[in-house]
Amino acid sequence: MMKVVRYRHFNFMLHALAWSIVLLFPYLVSDSGNQYKIGPLPGFYFTLSGIIHMIIFYANTLFLYPRFLNRTYWWLYIASVVLIIFLSVRLKFYVLESWFPDASPDAGVHILFPSVLVFIASVFYCIVADKIRAEKFQKETEAMQLGVELKFLRSQISPHFLFNT
């Protein structure tokens, strides 16, 4: 039980650290004289975009992938993914055009790829997490099966047999 609690805390802390780095990246690598820009993108836009990417990541990891990616609802999963990426791109274009009108005109080129990249990363995360869960379940099942076999063998050995030998 204690290992599970530690693992959950570790997993949460790892996610918090990774997203903190993503959200604070422009403030870590750029300076205020440059408005914390990363390429043509303003630093604050980069942070807002990171929040949108968090929503994509966790929407896929916690909701879409576990509920819809199976033999029955795979088409709903694909439609949902296309919709969520389309909405994220539209939202990022809106934020860039209305909040940062003086941004470089070639900043719009950097809007679609990060959303798709975050989605792909979330799919790989789900696959790895599923594989770890399956291996853990298999090990627990094998351990339980060995325990049952050991109890069965112990019950087969008669105390009188041991005493006589």
Side-chain angles (χ1 to χ4, degrees):
M1 180 70 178
M2 196 59 146
K3 287 183 180 181
V4 172
V5 172
R6 286 184 188 158
Y7 173 74
R8 286 186 182 165
H9 283 70
F10 176 74
N11 197 15
F12 175 77
M13 294 300 287
L14 189 63
H15 281 257
L17 176 66
W19 285 110
S20 296
I21 291 171
V22 168
L23 294 176
L24 297 174
F25 186 70
Y27 308 104
L28 298 173
V29 299
S30 190
D31 59 353
S32 61
N34 193 19
Q35 297 177 349
Y36 299 107
K37 284 187 177 182
I38 296 180
L41 299 173
F44 187 61
Y45 169 80
F46 195 86
T47 302
L48 291 174
S49 181
I51 293 170
I52 294 169
H53 295 151
M54 279 178 55
I55 293 169
I56 292 171
F57 184 88
Y58 290 114
N60 185 54
T61 303
L62 301 175
F63 184 72
L64 296 176
Y65 186 89
R67 285 183 176 79
F68 297 133
L69 192 60
N70 56 35
R71 291 189 179 122
T72 308
Y73 296 113
W74 61 268
W75 57 271
L76 188 57
Y77 178 73
I78 291 173
S80 300
V81 166
V82 169
L83 180 67
I84 199 168
I85 290 177
F86 174 76
L87 290 175
S88 74
V89 168
R90 291 299 308 153
L91 181 61
K92 289 193 294 185
F93 265 120
Y94 174 76
V95 167
L96 189 62
E97 290 174 353
S98 54
W99 292 10
F100 306 101
D102 57 336
S104 174
D106 59 333
V109 175
H110 303 284
I111 290 182
L112 174 65
F113 180 70
S115 294
V116 173
L117 186 66
V118 166
F119 168 73
I120 291 171
S122 73
V123 169
F124 282 127
Y125 175 81
C126 289
I127 290 170
V128 169
D130 285 348
K131 191 151 190 90
I132 290 171
R133 267 188 240 113
E135 287 177 6
K136 183 178 177 182
F137 179 74
Q138 182 182 4
K139 286 180 183 179
E140 289 174 355
T141 304
E142 288 173 0
M144 189 173 70
Q145 189 176 16
L146 285 174
V148 168
E149 287 176 8
L150 185 61
K151 285 181 183 179
F152 177 73
L153 288 174
R154 283 182 184 160
S155 71
Q156 294 296 315
I157 298 176
S158 168
H160 297 290
F161 172 77
L162 291 176
F163 182 73
N164 290 336
T165 56

